[in-house]
Amino acid sequence: MRRLSALLVLILGLLALPALAQDLLRPQSGTVNDFATLLDRQDAQALERSLTELRRTTGVQGTVVTLTDRARYGGAALEPFATRLFNAWGVGDAQRNDGFMLLVLQADREARIELGAGYPPDADLLAQQIMRNTMLPAFRRGEYSRGIREGTQAVIDLIALPHAQGRPLAPPQSDWRDRLVGAGFFAGFAAILAGIARQHWRRRRCPQCGRTGIETSSAPHQQPQPDGSVLISDNALTRRCPHCGWSETRLRPLGQRSFYGPAGELLRQERNPQYRAGPSGGGGFGGGSSRGGGASGRW
């Protein structure tokens, strides 16, 4: 009987582990979640402005997360933990899956750039370069705040913005280490990139004339109001064929409704009821998901 009781306790304990592992923290914000207090005031404000402006103008959502460690949240390895946190919060737009998360674990000496499922494999290569050349050198010097700020801005400039605007991602600048590694895996990557190129070519094909070269632009959709103000609650994404003139514009809701005065001054902001809330119920996320793309770093 004593052995049976011990076995029952063990089984119940094992069954409880998955539930404990799923007890992730909830977001404080849709932009900066500095739980480990690694950011100084100026850098936190700069990140808030950059991420807010990115979402306002393109609809792309990025978030920064700092934690002391991940052991208390299930003890999974860095990559599955980052993907699970990303998906639990629902970072980014649910249809485009173009959100990103920059995660730093101070005590574990680990960092991760987690990308939404909508990014191409080229984005992973750029994320690895940002991690290696921008973030890790700063972290090794103890400059966490600077490394997070510069790393986030690099993700915005090199990955998020070009992708949102329909521009191909610039190939990462390679050094001798990149060339050495790339030489060993060239054949495999060549096949993958060929498939990406075919998909990209099809996306840029005009549905009317069949020619390639579709141009994509993004701009806030301005709606004049009776009181003279201007409402911006959507982002207008326009695809146009330069050959036959075909075009289409789709409106995608932003997380906030912003009202601007005649001189362009911000009058007020409020939650946009048309924007889909994330499954976490907090932070204003849009229900996006990741398949584990991105880049990791340890120092």
Side-chain angles (χ1 to χ4, degrees):
M1 179 64 69
R2 185 177 301 175
R3 290 182 179 179
L4 181 60
S5 299
L7 181 60
L8 181 60
V9 170
L10 177 61
I11 293 174
L12 292 175
L14 291 175
L15 291 175
L17 284 178
L20 293 174
Q22 296 298 322
D23 189 19
L24 290 173
L25 73 170
R26 297 176 65 86
Q28 295 177 335
S29 165
T31 52
V32 179
N33 295 273
D34 188 19
F35 294 103
T37 62
L38 299 182
L39 296 168
D40 61 38
R41 181 179 177 183
Q42 292 77 12
D43 286 339
Q45 291 174 345
L47 285 169
E48 179 73 30
R49 288 193 299 268
S50 295
L51 293 170
T52 299
E53 181 66 12
L54 174 69
R55 190 173 185 183
R56 184 185 73 83
T57 57
T58 68
V60 175
Q61 184 174 36
T63 186
V64 170
V65 185
T66 71
L67 300 172
T68 54
D69 61 77
R70 51 183 165 75
R72 69 192 70 183
Y73 306 112
L78 171 62
E79 290 77 10
F81 172 76
T83 302
R84 184 160 61 92
L85 182 62
F86 188 106
N87 292 337
W89 286 9
V91 180
D93 180 86
Q95 281 71 46
R96 302 194 308 270
N97 286 318
D98 54 3
F100 69 87
M101 172 185 286
L102 193 146
L103 172 66
V104 178
L105 304 163
Q106 183 184 24
D108 295 330
R109 303 180 68 85
E110 296 175 336
R112 174 79 180 166
I113 299 172
E114 187 78 14
L115 298 177
Y119 286 99
D122 279 353
D124 297 347
L125 301 179
L126 285 168
Q128 187 60 60
Q129 186 181 69
I130 293 169
M131 178 67 68
R132 183 176 61 242
N133 297 343
T134 301
M135 296 174 61
L136 293 184
F139 294 164
R140 292 182 182 118
R141 297 191 300 266
E143 299 175 354
Y144 291 104
S145 187
R146 177 180 178 180
I148 294 170
R149 173 177 55 80
E150 293 182 349
T152 303
Q153 192 61 52
V155 173
I156 292 173
D157 294 338
L158 299 179
I159 299 176
L161 272 176
H163 182 73
Q165 295 167 354
R167 295 186 282 118
L169 300 183
Q173 298 176 355
S174 60
D175 56 19
W176 66 269
R177 289 170 298 181
D178 296 319
R179 292 191 293 270
L180 183 62
V181 174
F185 298 95
F186 176 78
F189 278 120
I192 295 173
L193 293 177
I196 296 170
R198 285 194 299 270
Q199 293 179 359
H200 182 71
W201 179 80
R202 290 171 181 169
R203 284 199 305 267
R204 294 178 62 83
R205 191 181 185 91
C206 175
Q208 180 168 288
C209 69
R211 301 176 67 178
T212 58
I214 292 292
E215 299 172 348
T216 304
S217 61
S218 173
H221 179 59
Q222 301 186 9
Q223 306 173 60
Q225 302 299 296
D227 60 359
S229 64
V230 174
L231 167 64
I232 296 179
S233 61
D234 302 281
N235 198 45
L237 298 179
T238 301
R239 301 173 67 236
R240 189 184 74 85
C241 176
H243 307 293
C244 68
W246 171 88
S247 68
E248 71 169 6
T249 300
R250 296 183 180 180
L251 297 180
R252 289 176 174 167
L254 298 174
Q256 291 183 317
R257 291 158 45 102
S258 303
F259 293 85
Y260 294 87
E265 71 278 15
L266 178 63
L267 301 178
R268 71 180 188 277
Q269 288 182 316
E270 59 189 38
R271 181 181 175 276
N272 187 354
Q274 301 300 319
Y275 189 82
R276 177 178 174 179
S280 65
F285 294 109
S289 63
S290 171
R291 288 193 288 265
S296 301
R298 296 167 177 83
W299 65 96

